[in-house]
Amino acid sequence: MEQLVLAFLLMMDIFLQSSYATLPHSLSKGSSLSVEKPNDVLKSSNGVFAAGFHSVGDNAYCFAVWFTQSAANSTIVWMANRDQPVNGRGSVVSLLGDGNLVLRDVGEIDTWESNTRWLSQVELALLDTGNLVLQTPDNDILWESFKFPTDTLLPYQQITRHAKLISPRSKSNYSSGWYSFYFDNDNLLHLLYNGPETSSAYWPDPSNCWPLGRYKFNNSRVAFFNSSGDFQSSDQFVFSAADLGIGPKRRLTMDFDGNLRLYSLQEKEGKWLVSWQAFSQPCSVHGVCGPNSICVHGLETISCSCLPGFKVKYAHDWSYGCEPKFNLSFDVTEWIFFALPNVNIYGFDLGTPLPKSEGECKKICVQSNSTCKAVSYINGTCQMKSMLFNAVRSPNLEGITYLMLPKNSLQSYNESEEKSTQAAPNCPSSSTSTTDIQLLERVYLHNQGNQFLLYLLWFVTVIGGIELFCICIGFFYLYRARGHTRRVYQGYDLFVAAAGFRKFTYNELKKATWSFSQEIGRGGYGIVYKGVLSDGRLVTWVREKNINASSSSNDHDIASTIEEILDPRVDAQYSMAKMEVLLAVALQCVQEEKDRRPTMSKVVEMLTRHDYT
């Protein structure tokens, strides 16, 4: 069975390689990639990377670069528009003539651009390193994706003072999440939780003012890892992959659970294995369960539960944590302390630890005018906490935390914990690979669409309605004023009745149109048939008559031509000048090229300009 699986994976790899082998490596000026064409994809010459539109939700796409050899959904390493997906219809990436690379949503709305201008030759190319670049024929790089990372670093791609990694929101939501890996103003690399309600730096340990082996006195702020798996930083932070050496394809990713991990690709299986990670205990990451909650370590997973007296805020997203069941807007005169063994709350300390007894610590906390929310008592000292954030429970934690709550507001801790834990989703083990992670589920927030496009659509609809109304009024006015009707043959207009052009009987029309055998269109005026007269095309005949008359300087010839075209039953009391205008308008409307025919509003304008009322 295992051999069959390996054979299948090998066949899939060969198929993918052959598919990508036919894809172009670059995009020239004036060319585009369309979201509606699956083959509109750039590939690196080594076949490892591809760039194009990648689905990130229901009818939502991002322009991205991804690994082609990873199993399941191709692993994305860069995105242009992670926080503003575009529509699955009509969206394109275009390299304009001025050298600017533009991502356009449906409706010609630019959602992202490279902000480059280069009038001479330039092309968009995907390099073997996974770097998407705009470059000249001399290989001068005008723009590169390596300078604008999203959540992933590739070998030799740098973190700098201007470039940082920002996690996705969840496994299926690629938009910007709560965690970032960056150089702070102290010239040290940091991991920061910047959640919906609070922020907290959690690496290096905030309680350690001088991180071991780290060097603050530098101003270069550069960090990267090489093809062997060695990470180096200007602040002297270093680490190495467990499978150190040239060979595996690697990526360093700021994962959505707040852990920074180095992955190595197992090409036969197409799976990523963790070869280094910042935290072996996932609960050490701040904000993983949100405020007013407890993160609990398990054998392979972690779980989130609300603190006693609190309830989960959004069951689908534990980033928002829990909210109190009690109301603090009333004057609370009596407080109780609920004991939480083996629980510690990291950060948000009120002052330095105090060498007090438990009773003295609780008394000081009550007297803080609600500034103190809890007291952690460890090894004979107590620490006041201003926020119930980053609470962790583990059998290995010594000491006890006392949670301060209004009296008569507390249900049984066991009941509260059991209810919350059942509602809490599981978080990943730090040792699992990205493809196997089952983390806190967070609903993908689809792009709400371009509001400008919506307003524009409504505007165009209203204007179109007004124009249609005006055209109808214009036709009604002409109809009432002259009592003529309009017929259409082979896409051209003939004014009849009061206008004075020749009328045809039913039998004449039937003969002229081959018994109505060739229908060429349908419209508001009925069916349109292709037709000719026995002595040639009607339009050709009328146009030739008009040309011959116009070339003559004799007014009698012009009048004679118009009389020949007019129905003989028309009363002779008509304006010759107005008939000339009607004839000119009719001949414009029967131009062979539709772009040369006037619009109906233009027809009305020409008639009213000559006082045809």
Side-chain angles (χ1 to χ4, degrees):
M1 183 65 182
E2 182 178 342
Q3 293 178 344
L4 290 176
V5 172
L6 291 176
F8 174 76
L9 290 173
L10 180 61
M11 292 176 61
M12 289 297 297
D13 181 66
I14 294 174
F15 171 76
L16 290 174
Q17 291 297 325
S18 61
S19 299
Y20 280 108
T22 62
L23 299 177
H25 304 306
S26 62
L27 188 70
S28 59
K29 271 189 177 182
S31 301
S32 300
L33 301 176
S34 172
V35 70
E36 298 182 63
K37 298 178 180 179
N39 290 331
D40 272 9
V41 175
L42 301 180
K43 68 150 190 179
S44 59
S45 59
N46 60 5
V48 175
F49 298 97
F53 285 97
H54 196 287
S55 176
V56 295
D58 185 14
N59 196 38
Y61 289 80
C62 285
F63 182 58
V65 176
W66 61 86
F67 274 99
T68 63
Q69 298 171 325
S70 58
N73 294 328
S74 299
T75 303
I76 296 176
V77 297
W78 178 82
M79 279 188 174
N81 57 317
R82 66 187 303 189
D83 294 317
Q84 194 175 358
V86 295
N87 198 288
R89 289 184 177 273
S91 300
V92 294
V93 171
S94 303
L95 182 54
L96 304 183
D98 62 358
N100 197 20
L101 183 66
V102 177
L103 171 60
R104 286 182 173 167
D105 203 347
V106 61
E108 298 293 315
I109 298 175
D110 296 347
T111 60
W112 176 87
E113 60 180 320
S114 61
N115 291 311
T116 53
R117 298 293 185 273
W118 193 262
L119 298 180
S120 59
Q121 189 175 357
V122 64
E123 67 174 8
L124 178 69
L126 183 59
L127 306 183
D128 287 348
T129 59
N131 194 9
L132 187 68
V133 301
L134 277 173
Q135 61 183 10
T136 67
D138 296 329
N139 295 326
D140 293 329
I141 295 179
L142 307 179
W143 174 92
E144 57 182 320
S145 61
F146 268 25
K147 291 289 182 66
F148 306 93
T150 48
D151 64 347
T152 296
L153 278 188
L154 294 174
Y156 299 104
Q157 184 179 4
Q158 296 180 349
I159 290 288
T160 66
R161 67 176 64 210
H162 303 298
K164 60 182 177 181
L165 301 184
I166 299 178
S167 70
R169 281 292 306 275
S170 72
K171 185 177 182 180
S172 59
N173 184 343
Y174 295 95
S175 60
S176 297
W178 309 127
Y179 299 96
S180 57
F181 179 52
Y182 69 107
F183 276 105
D184 206 345
N185 293 331
D186 58 4
N187 299 321
L188 295 179
L189 284 170
H190 286 264
L191 289 174
L192 174 72
Y193 167 76
N194 189 18
E197 297 181 0
T198 187
S199 62
S200 176
Y202 59 99
W203 181 87
D205 186 352
S207 62
N208 186 357
C209 61
W210 190 263
L212 183 63
R214 307 290 287 279
Y215 185 70
K216 294 184 177 182
F217 301 110
N218 70 86
N219 58 7
S220 56
R221 299 189 197 178
V222 175
F224 66 94
F225 74 97
N226 60 26
S227 56
S228 297
D230 279 318
F231 184 90
Q232 306 170 33
S233 173
S234 56
D235 69 351
Q236 306 302 313
F237 173 67
V238 296
F239 68 81
S240 297
D243 55 352
L244 184 65
I246 296 176
K249 297 176 178 64
R250 296 184 174 93
R251 61 182 173 90
L252 181 68
T253 300
M254 182 75 256
D255 284 330
F256 63 93
D257 63 348
N259 207 343
L260 182 69
R261 297 184 177 96
L262 182 67
Y263 292 93
S264 298
L265 180 63
Q266 304 297 304
E267 295 190 34
K268 289 185 178 180
E269 296 82 9
K271 292 184 177 181
W272 294 94
L273 296 182
V274 177
S275 55
W276 177 89
Q277 59 185 351
F279 296 95
S280 59
Q281 297 292 337
C283 282
S284 300
V285 176
H286 287 191
V288 67
C289 290
N292 306 316
S293 63
I294 302 178
C295 181
V296 182
H297 288 288
L299 294 177
E300 296 183 356
T301 62
I302 63 173
S303 62
C304 302
S305 61
C306 291
L307 288 169
F310 294 83
K311 60 182 180 180
V312 64
K313 196 169 186 178
Y314 301 112
H316 64 273
D317 192 342
W318 275 83
S319 298
Y320 294 88
C322 305
E323 58 186 357
K325 297 178 181 179
F326 48 84
N327 191 343
L328 289 176
S329 61
F330 299 100
D331 183 25
V332 179
T333 57
E334 292 188 79
W335 297 88
I336 59 172
F337 285 89
F338 191 89
L340 301 173
N342 306 114
V343 171
N344 196 4
I345 299 177
Y346 294 95
F348 302 98
D349 298 336
L350 288 172
T352 58
L354 301 175
K356 305 285 185 179
S357 65
E358 291 186 13
E360 291 175 317
C361 290
K362 295 177 182 177
K363 184 176 180 181
I364 296 174
C365 187
V366 172
Q367 294 174 347
S368 67
N369 295 323
S370 299
T371 303
C372 178
K373 300 295 191 301
V375 175
S376 292
Y377 194 81
I378 302 174
N379 297 327
T381 62
C382 63
Q383 180 67 68
M384 312 294 173
K385 301 292 181 179
S386 62
M387 286 189 64
L388 304 177
F389 197 63
N390 304 324
V392 178
R393 186 177 69 183
S394 172
N396 299 325
L397 287 174
E398 297 181 357
I400 188 170
T401 292
Y402 294 96
L403 179 65
M404 191 172 75
L405 296 169
K407 193 175 183 179
N408 300 326
S409 67
L410 184 64
Q411 296 179 352
S412 168
Y413 173 64
N414 291 330
E415 293 177 0
S416 174
E417 181 189 27
E418 181 181 0
K419 181 179 179 181
S420 299
T421 303
Q422 289 175 351
N426 288 332
C427 301
S429 167
S430 60
S431 61
T432 57
S433 67
T434 303
T435 55
D436 298 328
I437 288 177
Q438 297 294 325
L439 273 181
L440 303 177
E441 181 61 27
R442 291 167 181 155
V443 173
Y444 179 82
L445 300 178
H446 292 292
N447 182 27
Q448 297 300 317
N450 295 294
Q451 294 298 321
F452 174 77
L453 179 61
L454 183 60
Y455 296 146
L456 180 62
L457 179 61
W458 278 106
F459 176 77
V460 171
T461 302
V462 172
I463 293 300
I466 295 175
E467 183 177 359
L468 180 61
F469 176 76
C470 293
I471 291 174
C472 293
I473 292 296
F475 273 110
F476 178 75
Y477 177 73
L478 291 175
Y479 175 78
R480 293 294 300 270
R482 290 296 181 188
H484 66 80
T485 62
R486 190 167 176 266
R487 294 292 183 265
V488 182
Y489 300 100
Q490 198 179 345
Y492 53 79
D493 303 329
L494 297 177
F495 290 92
V496 296
F501 291 112
R502 180 182 176 189
K503 294 181 180 179
F504 298 90
T505 65
Y506 175 79
N507 289 331
E508 287 177 316
L509 290 176
K510 184 176 180 180
K511 181 180 179 181
T513 59
W514 296 292
S515 298
F516 306 101
S517 61
Q518 289 187 303
E519 178 182 328
I520 61 173
R522 295 172 179 262
Y525 296 101
I527 304 174
V528 181
Y529 297 97
K530 183 176 182 180
V532 297
L533 297 180
S534 59
D535 55 346
R537 297 175 65 90
L538 173 61
V539 176
T540 304
W541 179 78
V542 173
R543 181 175 287 115
E544 290 177 353
K545 288 287 185 181
N546 184 56
I547 293 174
N548 293 334
S550 300
S551 61
S552 175
S553 59
N554 192 332
D555 293 339
H556 176 74
D557 291 342
I558 298 176
S560 177
T561 298
I562 291 179
E563 288 179 357
E564 187 177 357
I565 296 174
L566 290 176
D567 193 306
R569 291 172 292 180
V570 174
D571 192 343
Q573 299 299 322
Y574 57 82
S575 171
M576 185 62 67
K578 291 182 178 180
M579 291 301 104
E580 290 185 51
V581 172
L582 284 174
L583 179 59
V585 171
L587 288 175
Q588 287 189 50
C589 291
V590 297
Q591 293 286 346
E592 290 293 336
E593 299 179 11
K594 65 178 183 179
D595 293 337
R596 299 180 61 184
R597 302 170 195 163
T599 61
M600 290 311 303
S601 59
K602 185 65 175 179
V603 170
V604 174
E605 178 187 343
M606 289 187 292
L607 294 177
T608 55
R609 184 194 309 159
H610 293 85
D611 193 26
Y612 186 73
T613 57

